[in-house]
């Protein structure tokens, strides 16, 4: 990876790319369980150790990440306040997965855009004569007898 990034003039971003990938992987390791509380018995609470590592990797406080993963925020304009409600275990899991996908998607989009803006790609040209990277994913392609 270091060699490829160096060839494309993006070697200075290698640490940031790896750090972002680590964040995505750590988000996927966060688990939830039901914690009984007097007000609500369905609160989804994340495992503290993995949550802390993921939060540090993302550059946010662990309490902020837990609140974002375990609660839904509703703003009430008439009262100028926010109402936080507990998420169920499946909803917290879906929220965690959505965050991981969003972080990964932004990294991927940035990487493709950055690579497209460099002159290291020589095999393809877009309609304006410039260089670009294209991703082609054909469903079922791997099932063909000869590729």
């Amino acid at each position: 990876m270091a060699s490829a990034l160096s060839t494309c003039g993006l070697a200075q971003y290698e640490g940031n790319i790896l750090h972002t990938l680590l964040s995505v992987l750590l988000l996927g390791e966060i688990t939830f369980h039901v914690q009984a509380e007097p007000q609500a018995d369905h609160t989804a609470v994340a495992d503290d150790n993995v949550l802390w590592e993921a939060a540090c990797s993302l550059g946010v406080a662990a309490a902020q990440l837990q609140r974002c993963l375990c609660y839904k925020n509703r703003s009430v304009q008439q009262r100028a306040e926010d109402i936080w409600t507990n998420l169920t275990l499946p909803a917290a899991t879906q929220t965690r997965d959505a965050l991981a996908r969003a972080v990964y998607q932004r990294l991927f989009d940035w990487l493709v855009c950055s690579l497209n803006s460099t002159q290291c790609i020589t095999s393809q040209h877009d309609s304006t004569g410039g260089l670009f990277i294209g991703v082609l994913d054909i469903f079922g392609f791997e099932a063909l007898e000869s590729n």
Side-chain angles (χ1 to χ4, degrees), residues 1 11 16 26 33 49 51 53-55 63 82 89 94 108 114 126 131:
M1 181 170 141
N16 293 337
L26 287 170
H33 64 274
N49 294 329
L51 177 74
E53 289 179 24
D82 291 341
L89 288 176
Q94 289 173 353
F108 182 83
S114 296
D126 67 10
L131 305 172

Side-chain angles (χ1 to χ4, degrees), residues 35-98:
Q35 178 179 341
E37 292 182 0
Q39 293 87 8
D41 61 355
H42 61 280
T43 303
V45 177
D47 178 35
D48 290 338
N49 294 329
V50 178
L51 177 74
W52 183 83
E53 289 179 24
C56 286
S57 183
L58 290 168
V60 299
Q64 287 177 319
L65 181 59
Q66 180 168 338
R67 189 169 193 176
C68 290
L69 294 177
C70 299
Y71 297 90
K72 183 187 331 183
N73 181 12
R74 294 187 183 128
S75 296
V76 180
Q77 293 180 0
Q78 292 85 4
R79 301 172 101 187
E81 67 179 305
D82 291 341
I83 298 173
W84 292 87
T85 56
N86 298 325
L87 292 177
T88 62
L89 288 176
T93 301
Q94 289 173 353
T95 301
R96 177 204 62 199
D97 294 348

Side-chain angles (χ1 to χ4, degrees), residues 99-128:
L99 178 59
R101 279 191 301 270
V103 170
Y104 186 80
Q105 180 67 49
R106 288 191 180 219
L107 173 63
F108 182 83
D109 290 345
W110 174 86
L111 192 55
V112 169
C113 183
S114 296
L115 290 173
N116 281 336
S117 68
T118 67
Q119 296 300 315
C120 70
I121 294 106
T122 59
S123 62
Q124 298 280 337
H125 294 280
D126 67 10
S127 61
T128 63

